Amino acid sequence: MTFVLQKGSFEGMKTLNQSTVLNIIRLKEPISRAEIAKFTKLTPPTVSSLVNELVENNLVKEEESVSSKAGGRRPIMLRINYSAHYIIGVYAAAEVMRTVLTTMDGKIVFDYVQKTMTLPSKAVFIDRLKESIHYVLDESKVDQRAILGIGVAMHGLVDPDQGVAIYSPHLHLGNIPIKEIIEEEFKLPVMVENDVRALAIGESWFGQGKGTADFVSLSVGKGIGSGIVINNEVYRSPFNTAGEIGHTVVNMDGPRCECGNDGCLEAYASEKAILNKMKEESRHYPESLLHEMKEDQLSIRSLFKAANDGDELAMSILNESGKYLGIAAANMVNILKPSKIILEGHIFEEGPHIVNAVKEMVEKYTFKSSPENITIVCSDLGKKGMVLGAVTLILKKIFKIGRLESV
Ligand SMILES: [Zn+2]
């Protein structure tokens, strides 16, 4: 795939060598031209010419080294010029569209959140997507020539090669050629990925997955999904549907899931499933704090608050959801044996109940042939995880991460 960047900003990563050099600088900065030649096995004149071009394009900056051998010339050291260029990241879900402008190191310099109240038609969704990017470009007042690309983390089934949203169940929309539409509108390179996989890519670049080659990012919100990273690359499968942990069956006789099957994990542990259970059960337990609450007061936050105040019903609802999540996570661990599981979502942030239940079940149900150290952590990217994932789609193209990661 060619990665043609907008003319006028710079001519783009014309060669693999150029992005290789850029990636070595990112991983090893500050670094001299001579050291780059050593790491990449490129000749010093080739490195010099590639670096000069990167400096001219403002992607790399030079600084004088503070230390030098006695009498020797101080080498010029190179660093990535992170704040000279920008990336736009969009997270498009059923209930929210968030569009950010970041520097190359993921600092959000402009943030635009639109809450979605009603389900949009395809045309309205596309207009909203375009308008949100126009708004960020106009209001942030950055020179469009300094923007490297637009990444879109889209809810639902996505074909990342074609940049098409194939089907978005929560939006009830299908076949949206996002890449084609947005590239046509903004004349910038566009990358599109499923939101949960984009999140895993963001975790590997900015979050708890940094420096971890194999991990699973388990995401719980309206639905439940996972991003599987194997050897530093997100795994998609030939069908672009890998990681649908929400639709693994945890009880054959369980409640009906939105997908039509019975007993899926999502029917037990998604936010929606937990809220439904809360509404249902609170009616039958007059002694519970939840019983006194009006329907519009029942929320994930109020459930955790009641559990923190020692309410038995609240604790049992959280414990049950945590156990089902833990069973699904343990099954995944038995198959993939990742070194880390990263938990992402509101239900992991409000209190320890669900996290502890997941840890307990993974410990209990994971087959161990030898001592294994699988860590379970909560994401520290918070609500910005998805948009940073979208931004990382572009960063990964610019820096061509891959075989050089271990250098
Ligand atoms: Zn299902």
Side-chain angles (χ1 to χ4, degrees), residues 246-247 257-261 264 266:
H247 299 291
C257 175
E258 276 184 19
C259 75
N261 285 337
C264 291
E266 207 165 285

Side-chain angles (χ1 to χ4, degrees), residues 106-121:
K107 284 199 186 73
I108 295 177
V109 291
F110 197 88
D111 197 346
Y112 178 44
V113 182
Q114 291 166 283
K115 297 265 184 213
T116 313
M117 296 305 171
T118 49
L119 284 177
S121 65

Side-chain angles (χ1 to χ4, degrees), residues 37-55:
K38 208 170 72 187
F39 281 122
T40 58
K41 309 269 192 294
L42 295 167
T43 65
T46 305
V47 168
S48 256
S49 130
L50 292 168
V51 166
N52 292 348
E53 227 173 299
L54 291 169
V55 171

